[in-house]
Amino acid sequence: MTMAAAEQLAPQQPMVRFENVSKRYGNLVVLDDLNLEVSRGEKVAIIGPSGSGKTTVLRMLMTLERIDGGVIWVDGEPMTHMMQGGQMVPAAQKHLRRVRSKIGMVFQHFNLFPHMTALQNCIEAPITVLKMSRKEAEARATELLGMVGLADKKGHYPAQLSGGQQQRVAIARALAMRPKVMLFDEVTSALDPELVGEVLHVIRQLGAEHDLTMLMVTHQMGFAKEFADRVCFFYQGKIAEQGAPQELFGAPKNDRTKQFLRAVLESG
Amino acid sequence: MIWDWDYTFEILPVLAQAAIVTIEATAIGFVIALVLGLFLAILRMSGPKTGWCVSVFIECIRSTPLLIQIFFLYFVFPSFGITLDAFVAGVIALGLHYGCYCAEVYRAGLEGVHRGQWEACTALNLSSLTTFKNIILPQAIPPIVPVLGNYLVALFKETPLLSAIAVMEMMQTAKILGSETFRYTEPITLVGIAFLIMSLVSAALIRIVERRLNLRSAK
Ligand SMILES: Nc1ncnc2c1ncn2[C@@H]1O[C@H](COP(=O)(O)OP(=O)(O)OP(=O)(O)O)[C@@H](O)[C@H]1O
Ligand SMILES: [Mg+2]
């Protein structure tokens, strides 16, 4: 398949596809033969008990973890592998970087660069990776910081911002790279309860305004229910149940799902 | 008379000249140590095999006296066809020796940078070079400046070892002056005072740099 053909096929292809993906740490099987497709623009919420492999799914997609089996496809082409002489071989760094550029990630603990201001955090990658001019990068970063409600905090260092503000800078920073897919790993878990709302508000806005594909691991069941097109319940490295939020939350079929949702409800 | 002022003023210009050699040796030696140390620290992290080789090399250098390394470069290298000027050999030995100490310090600094920082760089698709240069190093360096500063002063205080291969730094100059006039009191004392003053001044400078860096990272 040539590049051009791949591009043409792309619209019909899912944006992200996990094909028989497995992941082990030593003897521990963290993901077991995972198959998951995410369509363009789809918002998928990933829920499940601790240790069920939710974070691992996102980290593999962001290439922060190697996979032990299977193939991950992004935008119609294999990411973890590439074609060489008609065969699929493990991807070289260059291939990985190219495909990875379509994905952005927001972390639980923000991971902002502490020695850079909010603005600098948002222009570093556009300038050095996308080769934007400083002026263009700053204009765009300013716009994005405005979108997340932090236009007046451009010159602040992360340590001078609240957790909620830092996380919103992190979202702006990821968006500055124009990803097609955004990954959110429990992005509100490290925040004080009163700061959760402002971050969810930004994500909600993103979902409405942008044609982004989004995968989010969350413990905010209310948010998942209202925001996601589909919810996947992970249990012991497998998708035990998935479906539209109304179905999965309203009438779960799997006993594990029921158990999990009951436990979450009880804990508030 | 215990202290001869005429003699003192007579030798002062000669010693000042020698002080410049000492400062040059310190400055060049420390720059070599800083660059080599960083290089070794990176090599050490780059893979298990290279890492092991680098560790062994560092251990060998750190476990042998600087004086032996100076002699090795000056007296033994010529038999491999590499003949070095005394000053060059001495400065390289200083840089090499302290580079191995600096490598350990850099390593601690680099390991102190949170893993999440590397991951954020991957997620933003930064190149390895940009990641290292713009994100990791600027966070790894400020905490280790005090330790690197201590090594600068330590290296400075070891420059008299270069007198062993007749580099005309302060110690060697004082020795020669003493042997010419049979008066050691003035030259040796003056050299001691010069070391004392320069050590104190550089320690103060390092503290200023440190405070600047702390201020900046606390912003
Ligand atoms: N680097 C690692 N080395 C060894 N085991 C790991 C590593 N990372 C994750 N694991 C294990 O893999 C399993 C899945 O981890 P993962 O972080 O994906 O879970 P999770 O669903 O995100 O859980 P949580 O809700 O607590 O964040 C866990 O059992 C975890 O202990
Ligand atoms: Mg997790």
Side-chain angles (χ1 to χ4, degrees), chain B residues 2 13 31 42 80 109 125 139 156-157 169-170 180 202 217:
Chain B
I2 296 245
V31 168
I42 295 169
F80 298 114
N125 223 3
Q139 296 181 62
F156 169 62
K157 288 192 295 184
E169 45 66 65
M170 287 198 288
E180 280 168 355
S202 28
S217 57

Side-chain angles (χ1 to χ4, degrees), chain B:
Chain B
M1 192 166 58
I2 296 245
W3 189 268
D4 181 342
W5 283 105
D6 288 343
Y7 179 52
T8 304
F9 288 117
E10 198 179 307
I11 63 174
L12 220 42
V14 187
L15 284 176
Q17 201 76 48
I20 291 172
V21 177
T22 294
I23 291 172
E24 277 173 353
T26 305
I28 301 172
F30 195 59
V31 168
I32 294 175
L34 286 179
V35 174
L36 178 73
L38 182 58
F39 189 66
L40 289 173
I42 295 169
L43 271 185
R44 192 174 195 170
M45 300 194 320
S46 66
K49 237 185 206 155
T50 355
W52 187 83
C53 293
V54 172
S55 300
V56 169
F57 175 75
I58 290 175
E59 213 41 61
C60 288
I61 298 289
R62 297 208 315 170
S63 307
T64 48
L66 175 54
L67 188 57
I68 292 187
Q69 289 153 20
I70 294 173
F71 277 18
F72 209 87
L73 284 177
Y74 190 60
F75 294 119
V76 182
F77 263 39
S79 55
F80 298 114
I82 303 169
T83 308
L84 297 172
D85 171 69
F87 180 81
V88 173
V91 163
I92 292 177
L94 281 171
L96 182 68
H97 192 80
Y98 279 90
C100 288
Y101 281 95
C102 290
E104 287 296 299
V105 181
Y106 280 117
R107 183 167 73 140
L110 292 171
E111 284 176 356
V113 179
H114 195 270
R115 199 174 52 118
Q117 294 290 311
W118 294 91
E119 293 180 350
C121 293
T122 304
L124 290 169
N125 223 3
L126 299 183
S127 69
S128 317
L129 183 67
T130 308
T131 298
F132 202 75
K133 191 166 62 74
N134 296 2
I135 309 302
I136 305 301
L137 265 191
Q139 296 181 62
I141 300 291
I144 61 173
V145 164
V147 191
L148 291 177
N150 287 344
Y151 281 134
L152 169 62
V153 176
L155 182 150
F156 169 62
K157 288 192 295 184
E158 295 230 74
T159 51
L161 286 177
L162 302 195
S163 65
I165 53 172
V167 175
M168 291 301 284
E169 45 66 65
M170 287 198 288
M171 195 65 215
Q172 178 68 2
T173 308
K175 244 166 43 184
I176 290 175
L177 286 170
S179 65
E180 280 168 355
T181 56
F182 302 106
R183 281 203 66 98
Y184 283 95
T185 317
E186 291 82 2
I188 301 291
T189 311
L190 287 174
V191 169
I193 292 171
F195 268 104
L196 180 67
I197 292 172
M198 286 196 262
S199 291
L200 292 178
V201 168
S202 28
L205 285 177
I206 290 158
R207 226 162 300 137
I208 290 171
V209 172
E210 207 181 308
R211 206 166 320 139
R212 282 264 170 86
L213 286 170
N214 284 343
L215 276 183
R216 210 168 51 179
S217 57
K219 253 198 295 206

Side-chain angles (χ1 to χ4, degrees), chain A residues 54-56 108 185-186 217:
Chain A
K54 309 181 295 295
T55 295
T56 307
Q108 184 172 354
D185 186 11
E186 295 195 34
V217 172

Side-chain angles (χ1 to χ4, degrees), chain A residues 158-171:
Chain A
Q160 298 169 315
L161 299 171
S162 74
Q165 293 171 332
Q166 289 186 54
Q167 195 58 296
R168 287 186 279 151
V169 173
I171 292 172

Side-chain angles (χ1 to χ4, degrees), chain A residues 3 17 20 58 80 95 100 109 113 125 146 160 179 202 205-206:
Chain A
M3 279 303 297
R17 182 148 73 97
N20 306 112
L58 298 194
T80 51
H95 175 87
R100 177 162 69 203
H109 296 286
F113 305 135
Q160 298 169 315
V202 166
Q205 208 180 322
L206 264 183

Side-chain angles (χ1 to χ4, degrees), chain A residues 12-119:
Chain A
Q12 286 87 49
Q13 302 266 6
M15 191 65 213
V16 173
R17 182 148 73 97
F18 288 81
E19 186 186 340
N20 306 112
V21 173
S22 59
K23 174 72 188 171
R24 289 182 300 271
Y25 289 110
N27 286 331
L28 178 71
V29 179
V30 178
L31 286 175
D32 185 13
D33 208 20
L34 176 73
N35 285 287
L36 173 65
E37 287 190 5
V38 181
S39 321
R40 267 151 223 283
E42 195 181 11
K43 308 338 181 203
V44 175
I46 296 175
I47 62 171
S50 183
S52 56
K54 309 181 295 295
T55 295
T56 307
V57 171
L58 298 194
R59 288 176 58 83
M60 289 192 311
L61 187 50
M62 193 67 256
T63 68
L64 296 172
E65 265 350 304
R66 289 190 163 282
I67 66 172
D68 295 313
V71 185
I72 298 177
W73 299 70
V74 173
D75 207 4
E77 62 174 327
M79 176 175 73
T80 51
H81 295 71
M82 56 188 190
M83 288 294 183
Q84 206 172 66
Q87 279 200 323
M88 290 263 257
V89 298
Q93 197 58 34
K94 202 172 153 204
H95 175 87
L96 222 48
R97 272 196 88 191
R98 186 174 56 76
V99 183
R100 177 162 69 203
S101 69
K102 297 176 180 177
I103 305 173
M105 183 162 181
V106 182
F107 300 87
Q108 184 172 354
H109 296 286
F110 331 136
N111 296 353
L112 288 179
F113 305 135
H115 59 299
M116 294 181 170
T117 62
L119 186 75

